[in-house]
Amino acid sequence: MALVDDMAIAERLGGERDFSPGPVLEIDLLRTLLAIVSTGSFNRAARAVFRTPSAVSMQMKKLEDIVGKPIFAKDGRGVALTGDGEELLGFARRMLQLNDEALARFRCQSTEGVVRLGTPDDYATGFLPRILARFAATHPLVQVDVTCKPSSELVDMVDQGEIDVGLMSVGATCGVPNTGDIIHRERLVWAGLRHGQVHTRRPLPIAASGRSCCWRAMATEKLDRAGIPYRIAYSSAHYVGQVAAVLADLAVAPLPKSVLDGDLVAIDDRLLPAPGYYEIQIRTSPLASGAAVEALANHIRQSFEAEALASAA
């Protein structure tokens, strides 16, 4: 009956509906566009979507052909979108979100099992609440067991199958090999108390993690280069222990810019040299398998991508 009614409506509107194929905005092309905007580079986007840079360029040329408008503007400083590109980016975000929601609705509801996730506790505090909340909404039958350890310990735990998925810092000072997928890159800042004065003291009191922490190594190296005397006044393996000293105006701490809020603020780079940037890689244990492990790993990748896009918007 519904088909007959639809045909009758179409005839009243002047003819049958046109179901002939036309231009289609392909999900893969839109996902690559978001990766380019998120990473700020065609080369980094290529690594993120597991393609070569030339393949990414061809994808964007195809996308421009489909929409019939130039997407990227010439900018010697990096990737820049045209006005049409910015508008397309908004559509891309909504279409990818709808695509992921639809797939989650029909493919993920029945996924169940236990996934062991390892992460430094500062990541658990700063990133996991939002990630796990969204994952639980689409995978209600999956149990996630979280272990908080330093990145240097998580490497061995992943390799030995003690955890299924690991998030860890990588870098020259981290002692952690870059053998996973880089899913996040962010600037570190010196965190202090709003209107605090401890950053003016010499030697500079620092709240830091253990000796194996690469943020600690990066930060103290920058102070050494700037000739600023310092001392490790507070040491804690847990993020909350470092923040407590900062909020008491007893020390400053090298922390990701994204975790700062309230009375926790960034010290001006002109007063203390910025520690630099850190990267997060995700690694799946070679001994881990199953739909639940794959679902959580993919969800974490997509969550970091979405966060990066939201902050860049």
Side-chain angles (χ1 to χ4, degrees):
M1 177 65 72
L3 178 61
V4 174
D5 290 343
D6 283 350
M7 292 177 63
I9 292 172
E11 290 177 357
R12 287 199 300 270
L13 293 176
E16 295 184 356
R17 291 185 175 180
D18 184 6
F19 292 103
S20 59
V24 175
L25 287 172
E26 300 174 19
I27 292 297
D28 283 347
L29 302 183
L30 299 179
R31 199 176 295 280
T32 298
L33 172 63
L34 265 68
I36 292 171
V37 174
S38 174
T39 62
S41 161
F42 274 58
N43 288 338
R44 288 194 291 269
R47 292 195 294 270
V49 298
F50 305 102
R51 286 184 169 84
T52 64
S54 60
V56 166
S57 296
M58 291 176 63
Q59 280 191 306
M60 294 302 96
K61 176 62 168 62
K62 181 178 180 181
L63 186 57
E64 288 183 327
D65 290 342
I66 291 173
V67 300
K69 301 283 186 180
I71 298 173
F72 296 97
K74 293 183 179 180
D75 188 343
R77 297 171 298 175
V79 174
L81 296 177
T82 63
D84 291 317
E86 292 282 358
E87 189 172 358
L88 177 62
L89 182 64
F91 284 112
R93 287 176 177 141
R94 300 205 301 273
M95 292 175 68
L96 284 169
Q97 181 179 3
L98 185 60
N99 175 80
D100 293 342
E101 287 178 0
L103 290 177
R105 167 63 180 83
F106 294 106
R107 296 176 61 183
C108 302
Q109 288 286 344
S110 60
T111 301
E112 56 184 300
V114 178
V115 185
R116 298 165 300 172
L117 173 65
T119 174
D121 79 318
D122 36 26
Y123 296 174
T125 302
F127 300 118
L128 283 194
R130 295 186 299 274
I131 290 175
L132 293 182
R134 290 192 292 261
F135 184 72
T138 55
H139 300 76
L141 302 181
V142 176
Q143 174 184 332
V144 181
D145 290 346
V146 180
T147 298
C148 293
K149 296 285 185 181
S151 295
S152 56
E153 295 182 30
L154 292 173
V155 175
D156 293 334
M157 294 181 72
V158 168
D159 291 341
Q160 295 168 12
E162 296 177 19
I163 56 176
D164 302 312
V165 180
L167 298 178
M168 57 204 74
S169 300
V170 293
T173 59
C174 295
V176 176
N178 184 1
T179 56
D181 299 330
I182 302 299
I183 58 173
H184 185 67
R185 184 175 189 267
E186 185 179 358
R187 183 171 179 258
L188 290 172
V189 297
W190 284 107
L193 176 68
R194 185 184 302 277
H195 307 307
Q197 297 299 317
V198 73
H199 64 277
T200 63
R201 297 180 186 172
R202 297 296 181 271
L204 178 70
I206 297 176
S209 186
R211 294 184 180 275
S212 63
C213 177
C214 60
W215 297 359
R216 171 174 171 167
M218 292 166 59
T220 54
E221 180 184 358
K222 288 297 181 66
L223 293 177
D224 287 335
R225 289 184 180 181
I228 298 177
Y230 61 88
R231 65 185 180 91
I232 305 299
Y234 298 89
S235 180
S236 173
H238 300 289
Y239 165 81
V240 291
Q242 299 169 53
V243 171
V246 174
L247 291 177
D249 200 26
L250 297 174
V252 294
L255 295 175
K257 187 176 181 180
S258 63
V259 306
L260 305 187
D261 62 3
D263 287 330
L264 200 64
V265 298
I267 304 299
D268 194 308
D269 292 349
R270 292 170 295 183
L271 302 176
L272 292 177
Y277 288 81
Y278 77 100
E279 292 180 322
I280 299 177
Q281 72 167 328
I282 184 172
R283 293 180 60 188
T284 301
S285 172
L287 304 177
S289 62
V293 172
E294 182 180 355
L296 179 61
N298 289 336
H299 179 83
I300 291 173
R301 290 187 180 93
Q302 293 168 6
S303 293
F304 273 102
E305 178 181 307
E307 291 283 349
L309 291 170
S311 62

